[in-house]
């Protein structure tokens, strides 16, 4: 609110970077501070500064990671034109056709999936634990990359799930 600096539009945040990329005066004033602490008034040739430590990363410190999954699915929604058991039979046939290399999963998803992911070949993108309903996530967690589940019933319908790949992604505190 009161800053005359050019970075006023982003709340005065200078960004996270190595200490060597900050003015030495700022590094000295904040080195002993903990996250959330504010440095006493610091004077430089440019004027007076109030510095607050927003985040610190110690080089070589262990980082946390989360296992992410990239999956695709085919969703069939039971209704008047298709029962749950008919959807399951259809999905088992799709699984058999993919495993026998008669077609690929993405093509079947584009043609048959009854959700917004159909246009992307059923691709759900990268997900973290807790993003999907429990039935879906439990089935996904039992798969190895490349595997296809048996049909899985959730509140959205009946899914056929293929795990494309997994990765460990770093997360910040």
């Amino acid at each position: 609110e009161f800053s005359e600096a050019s970075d006023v539009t982003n709340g005065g945040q200078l960004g996270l970077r190595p200490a060597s990329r900050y003015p030495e005066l700022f590094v000295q004033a904040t080195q002993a501070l903990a996250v959330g602490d504010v440095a006493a008034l610091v004077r430089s040739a440019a004027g007076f500064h109030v510095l607050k430590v927003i985040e610190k990363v110690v080089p070589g410190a262990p980082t946390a990671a989360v296992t992410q999954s990239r999956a695709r699915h085919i969703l069939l929604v039971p209704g008047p034109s298709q029962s749950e058991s008919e959807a399951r039979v259809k999905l088992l046939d799709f699984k058999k056709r993919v495993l026998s290399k008669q077609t690929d999963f993405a093509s079947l998803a584009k043609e048959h999936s009854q959700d917004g992911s159909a246009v992307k070949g059923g691709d759900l993108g990268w997900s973290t634990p807790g993003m999907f309903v429990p039935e879906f996530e439990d089935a996904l967690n039992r798969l190895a990359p490349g595997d296809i589940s048996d049909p899985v019933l959730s509140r959205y319908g009946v899914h056929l799930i293929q795990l494309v790949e997994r990765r460990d992604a770093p997360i910040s505190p």
Side-chain angles (χ1 to χ4, degrees), residues 55-147:
E55 182 177 358
K56 270 188 175 181
V57 176
V58 180
T63 56
V66 64
T67 300
Q68 296 179 323
S69 300
R70 188 167 145 243
R72 57 177 146 223
H73 78 145
I74 301 170
L75 174 67
L76 299 181
V77 181
S81 63
Q82 173 178 255
S83 70
E84 179 190 321
S85 62
E86 290 169 328
R88 285 179 181 277
V89 168
K90 191 181 277 189
L91 290 171
L92 282 171
D93 178 59
F94 292 167
K95 179 179 178 178
K96 186 175 96 180
R97 289 170 51 196
V98 171
L99 293 175
S100 67
K101 308 229 188 286
Q102 293 174 0
T103 188
D104 64 87
F105 197 99
S107 298
L108 287 172
K110 283 181 184 177
E111 188 177 339
H112 299 283
S113 191
Q114 297 173 314
D115 78 323
S117 72
V119 296
K120 298 179 285 181
D123 192 343
L124 299 170
W126 287 103
S127 65
T128 54
M131 282 184 60
F132 299 122
V133 293
E135 307 85 358
F136 188 101
E137 193 157 321
D138 290 345
L140 179 61
N141 289 340
R142 288 192 299 271
L143 298 174
D147 286 353

